[in-house]
Amino acid sequence: MNLGVVISMFDEHELVLQSIQNIKKNFQSAAIIIVHSFDKETESLKKIKELCNYISLDNIAINYGIPRMEIPARCITRNFSTGFKKLYEIGKYDLIIALTGDTLIE
């Protein structure tokens, strides 16, 4: 089975790393795209970058003057749009999963 995974994250580095490792245990060839909009470098983030296709985007809350109540919806839709675009560029899939960074896959 060809599995594609897109994860939109902010600062949930530890949870995302655990999820990636757990996915890779069962689906070694899974294509995993991480779309990130927070720039703090951690050891977990370094490992994530080694394991996946990693995309870093601007933090909308800081750089674009968007009204506060619109920020979450705009961030997640932009991140997933970017992740799906990359996923479709690199392959074809039997199943595609979209997750937020605070979702732990066991």
Side-chain angles (χ1 to χ4, degrees), residues 68-80:
R68 183 173 182 197
M69 298 304 289
E70 293 180 21
I71 292 171
R74 288 193 185 199
C75 284
I76 200 158
T77 54
R78 177 203 59 174
N79 289 5
F80 280 132

Side-chain angles (χ1 to χ4, degrees), residues 32-83:
I32 303 176
I33 310 295
I34 304 298
V35 184
H36 188 217
S37 54
F38 183 71
D39 61 359
K40 183 179 178 186
E41 187 77 20
T42 64
E43 287 302 313
S44 294
L45 183 58
K46 289 177 187 176
K47 290 178 186 174
I48 289 169
K49 289 177 180 180
E50 294 171 5
L51 295 171
C52 303
N53 285 292
Y54 175 82
I55 301 168
S56 178
L57 299 175
D58 289 345
N59 186 337
I60 288 176
I62 296 171
N63 298 324
Y64 296 98
I66 295 171
R68 183 173 182 197
M69 298 304 289
E70 293 180 21
I71 292 171
R74 288 193 185 199
C75 284
I76 200 158
T77 54
R78 177 203 59 174
N79 289 5
F80 280 132
S81 176
T82 301

